[in-house]
């Protein structure tokens, strides 16, 4: 786990804490490292979660499927992101978390994170404070998705999402974390409708795209 100390230092959870202090806290927080194969579920709908997670390698999707197998992707989790804190209410969760490529996850006991230990780790209070802000950022991400899918047309949803991705990249050229089907599931549209609209937008000179790579014109 030592190889991921630099990554942990750069996460929202350990912001402002140096690597030596993080290493000293791993035992206190009951840190565990887990490996997941592509397609393997980290969390399944209906389960209860008592740990906080950091994605150390790979990529995950938070998604749900209805009785007929229709999938809705809520968000993609990238390397270094903290997740799971929104599930700590004790109630069964409504979504799945699945690895979309081989992934390594580091998790921490939620009770130990939220309760300062008897040894009074110097930076424990900072971790609790950081967790609050990480939860706030997750809420912002949820509101952002709601803004995308609230648009009335497939084109409006695409333009809203791609515009935001360009702003985040600081460039009109960028790569999104979804393939075509995943993007359709994320925006809550049919893949055929999505592909047709992208084709029209390319013909109109609004964008260029090759798989997950986009350039806005």
């Amino acid at each position: 786990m030592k190889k991921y100390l630099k990554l942990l230092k750069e996460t929202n959870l350990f912001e402002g804490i140096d690597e030596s202090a993080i290493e000293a806290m791993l035992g206190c927080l009951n840190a565990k490292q887990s490996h997941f194969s592509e397609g393997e579920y980290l969390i399944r709908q209906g389960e209860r979660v008592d740990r906080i997670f950091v994605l150390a390698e790979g990529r995950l999707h938070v998604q749900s499927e209805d009785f007929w197998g229709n999938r809705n992707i809520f968000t993609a989790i990238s390397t270094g992101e903290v997740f799971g804190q929104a599930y700590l209410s004790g109630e069964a969760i409504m979504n799945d978390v699945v690895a979309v490529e081989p992934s390594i996850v580091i998790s921490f006991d939620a009770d130990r994170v939220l309760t300062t230990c008897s040894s009074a780790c110097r930076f424990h209070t900072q971790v609790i404070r950081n967790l609050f802000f990480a939860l706030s950022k997750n809420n912002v991400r949820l509101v952002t998705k709601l803004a995308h899918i609230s648009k009335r047309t497939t084109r409006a949803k695409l333009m809203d999402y791609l515009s935001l991705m360009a702003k985040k990249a600081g460039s009109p050229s960028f790569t999104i974390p979804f393939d075509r089907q995943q993007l359709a599931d994320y925006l809550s549209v049919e893949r055929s409708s999505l592909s047709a609209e992208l084709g029209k937008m390319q013909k109109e000179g609004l964008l260029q795209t090759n798989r997950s790579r986009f350039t806005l014109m």
Side-chain angles (χ1 to χ4, degrees), residues 178-213:
F178 302 122
D179 60 25
R180 286 288 186 272
Q181 183 61 59
Q182 292 165 351
L183 180 58
D185 293 338
Y186 177 73
L187 295 176
S188 299
V189 299
E190 293 293 333
R191 178 175 177 173
S192 57
S193 174
L194 177 81
S195 296
E197 197 59 56
L198 285 172
K200 292 177 184 177
M201 293 171 75
Q202 287 194 87
K203 289 180 180 178
E204 294 171 20
L206 295 175
L207 58 80
Q208 294 178 351
T209 180
N210 181 20
R211 297 188 179 182
S212 297
R213 185 71 179 173

Side-chain angles (χ1 to χ4, degrees), residues 19-171:
E19 292 181 27
S20 60
I22 294 172
E23 184 175 9
M25 296 178 71
L26 293 179
C28 170
L29 301 179
N30 189 23
K32 295 182 180 179
Q33 180 176 315
S34 304
H35 298 250
F36 296 90
S37 303
E38 181 178 350
E40 188 174 358
Y41 284 73
L42 168 63
I43 303 170
R44 286 187 178 273
Q45 183 178 354
E47 295 180 345
R48 289 172 171 79
V49 174
D50 59 3
R51 299 186 72 81
I52 296 167
F53 307 89
V54 173
L55 180 59
E57 293 184 25
R59 188 158 55 94
L60 308 172
H61 282 173
V62 180
Q63 62 186 46
S64 66
E65 290 187 8
D66 63 20
F67 181 82
W68 297 273
N70 298 309
R71 182 177 60 179
N72 181 20
I73 296 176
F74 291 96
T75 189
I77 299 172
S78 302
T79 302
E81 289 194 48
V82 181
F83 64 101
Q85 63 270 34
Y87 306 142
L88 299 179
S89 64
E91 298 182 8
I93 69 170
M94 301 299 293
N95 307 315
D96 300 315
V97 180
V98 59
V100 292
E101 59 186 53
S103 301
I104 296 176
V105 173
I106 299 173
S107 64
F108 307 90
D109 185 294
D111 284 339
R112 295 196 183 188
V113 171
L114 295 171
T115 306
T116 53
C117 61
S118 57
S119 59
C121 297
R122 178 183 173 190
F123 294 104
H124 202 141
T125 301
Q126 180 68 33
V127 170
I128 296 173
R129 182 175 181 273
N130 289 346
L131 183 62
F132 171 79
F133 288 109
L135 181 58
S136 297
K137 289 181 179 180
N138 279 359
N139 289 339
V140 169
R141 180 158 41 185
L142 177 59
V143 170
T144 299
K145 180 185 175 175
L146 290 174
H148 297 326
I149 65 175
S150 66
K151 305 301 180 185
R152 293 182 178 275
T153 66
T154 298
R155 175 171 292 203
K157 292 178 181 182
L158 273 168
M159 292 180 71
D160 196 59
Y161 173 71
L162 295 175
S163 177
L164 178 63
M165 295 301 291
K167 290 177 181 178
K168 285 185 174 181
S171 169

